[in-house]
Amino acid sequence: MEIVWSDFSESCPILKECLDSSDLAKETEDTLEYIYEVLWIEIGSFVRSKLAPTFWSCFKHNQTLAKFEKDGGSAEALQQQYKLFTNFVNAVKSLDAYYQFVRTSLEKLDGICQRADHGKSLAKLNELLRSALLSQLPTHFNNVVYSFYSVSFRVFFNLHQSTSMGQDNEDLDESGMPCKGCNQELEKCQCQSLLQTINEVNQKLVDLELLDRLAGQSMTFLVQQRIKEHIKNTCHGIFDRSHLKNLLTWLEDVVICWLMQVFHSKVSADPDAMHTDDGSKSTDVIQSLKVKLTFYVYENYALSVIDQFFSIIIDFPDSIPAIEDLKICMEKINLRRQIINTLKSSLEARILHPGVNTMDILTGYVAAIKAIRYLDSSGVILETVTAPIKEYLRKRSDTVRCVVTSLTETESGPTDLSEELAKGDAVKDGTKGNVNDELSNWENWQPDPFGLDNTVQTRTVKTSRSADIISMVVDIYGSKELFMSEYRNLLADRLLTQLEFNPEKEIRNLELLKLRFGESLLHNCEVMLKDIADSKRINSHIHSDTKYVENKQFDISSLIISAQFWPSFNKESVELPEEIANEFQKYTKSYEEYKGNRTLNWRTVTGKVAISIELGDRVLDMTVAPTQAVIIYHFQNKNEWSLDDLSTLVKIPPSVLRRRMAFWQSHGIIIESQPGIYKLIEDELPKSQLEKLPINEIITEDEDNESAMASASDQREEELQVFWSYIVGMLTNLDSLPIERIHQMLKLFASNGLGVEFTQDDLKDFLQRKVRDHKLIYSGGVYQLAK
Amino acid sequence: MKVTIKSWMGVASWRWIANDENCGICRMSFESTCPECALPGDNCPLVWGVCTHCFHMHCIVKWLNLQTMNKQCPMCRQAWKFNFH
């Protein structure tokens, strides 16, 4: 106090004199007034020139060192923080000392001057002080304040934790770690004393009405940082529990409690009637802070959930609590845009790239549909988020195949989609019911959420919003027809490679698909399956035909198909040796007798043949493709064939034949002795070589994987062939046309009931093929007939 | 070397033995069905007239029922008589 006094009297001698001279009261009122004014000016200049700079000098002192401090974490930074902490404490303490002195002096002065409104002059003093301090605010003062409060928060948090955890916590901490609160050895823990200091400082700041101005920003920043950290520590990666309630309790228990302590330290220490005004004011401040912070918690938690939404989608049924939480947050804050953007980019990064299997993308897509639908029943988010997935899947050629496979595949355990399919027709009724719902239930109608891209919304069709998962998946392609024709191809492939007469599983799938997609689209498939059943009957009939059975050399069973209803086959064929062809003749004859007026066209390359090969002293039993059987059959009579000779005999192009030969080469029965010359090996190969060769395995290698059906693009072209005569007519009359015109005109015909859908790209492929065949000329962007 | 074929599982498509490809009435392929039917073959057979023209049975029967006076083949206008093989 002595130092303060000497400092003060040095800077304003008048004040000292005035206060000392007891005869001041005797002066006239004018003089008193004058002296009073002068004194105020003196106090003002003292505060400005001495008090404020002294206070701030504690802060400036640390400017250079303060850089460390934001890094946090490291021991050095922590040490620095404590240093700044003490600085701050000292600064506030000395400021308070001056302030108290000036205040008492002022009180004395007021007494002498017989001023009644002491409160007013006190307020004036406070204002003077505040303005003086704030006008000289150094740039880095926040660092110091921040250090102070982060230490303060840590101490508080530590104490809070140890009281809530009780004795256990202390046991844990005894492993030589410094106390988390005060960074001291545990035995010398100073948390309690620190807490006291902190409270004192806070109280002084409240007295000076400086707390909010000086520390508000740092405090908010600090608290927000803590909240973020806390959310990250407690909630990251855990989706199967709801966190929201815990977070809010934590906020209430820890953060708000601490803020209370900061603001209310005075009230709690001195609950006088005089301070109730202050108290209610700070309660207000805390209340408003609490609201803000609660929202901050909501927002940050929601953001953290959104960031991890991809993982949530993947774990979907288990991650429901997290989605529930997010739902609550979304009611409070508008986060749709955030969700859409984050989710879109994370989906793109995680599944929409060439490194992911189509099957996995589909699984992700289905999971996303489920999860997002759970989150937002209006379907707007779903629509927007899944648009890129759909677009991407559309570009993959095997998408439809994957969808169909996962719809119908039940061997490797039911997939999501096959389960959905098995749920049956409930959905079909649902879509019907929905229309009624919308009309009768109009009171509950809700507008679409706003604030989203409007273009997306207008394009969306209402039905697709309420559509089920399978429709969403089928919707990838936009048309059921395309999807169903792909199913037909798949079914045909499966039936032709299995070549078995028990399609129960396929029939069940077909029935399920029929329930969903309607009979008419699947009519072809139904005929296909009926062909299988019919073939079984016909075969058994023919096999009981004595005239046939007596003559036959080997068993023939056949799948007899109604070609019109099957996808078109590819154009491969093989010429059978006469003996074999005769056998088929016999079979055909028997069929013709059974079914009057009908005959059979054999598709020689498809099927499977059981043969046994006697080679020297070995007998090999194998099941092979017809082409391979024919090849080896020809080697019976002639040990050596040139590729060209054999090619003309079996009517297979040499390049294809060479590939087929590879099968026998891999079995070590035929070798290519010279280029283009194939030779049978009668002798057994040396043992070592033989072991490498899987002779008795019944394999047909990649033959099985080759589809017997024409490829999709071939089929497409066949469809467009219908239009060729129209195109010729058009170009004859109009000489030359750009592709857009041709497409437009053909669409007119197509809409007249030919029922072929095609895009301009399809047409372009078709026309380009015609250009290659020299039927058309393409130049300058227009097509012309070749003359 | 001797190759013995033990059994052959083949694939064939059936077709009608007829002198045309499409039914003259419904213009659908014979191997397909008349507009009324769903399943081809036995369920939607062909019939031949004495005039050698042939049609889906359902198509020609329908046609004949529509003719009030003399029943004629729609292709050649001769009197229609079924040719039972």
Side-chain angles (χ1 to χ4, degrees), chain A residues 518-536:
Chain A
E519 301 238 349
S520 60
L521 281 174
L522 289 159
H523 178 224
N524 284 338
C525 302
E526 213 183 337
V527 173
M528 281 158 66
L529 287 180
K530 189 175 173 290
D531 281 344
I532 307 283
D534 284 352
S535 304
K536 192 178 178 181

Side-chain angles (χ1 to χ4, degrees), chain A residues 85 89 148-149 151-153 155-156 191 193-203 258 262 265:
Chain A
F85 171 77
V89 172
F148 173 74
Y149 282 102
V151 170
S152 138
F153 189 78
V155 168
F156 174 79
C191 284
S193 65
L194 274 178
L195 192 66
Q196 213 165 352
T197 330
I198 290 160
N199 284 342
E200 265 169 40
V201 169
N202 279 333
Q203 188 187 333
W258 178 66
V262 171
S265 48

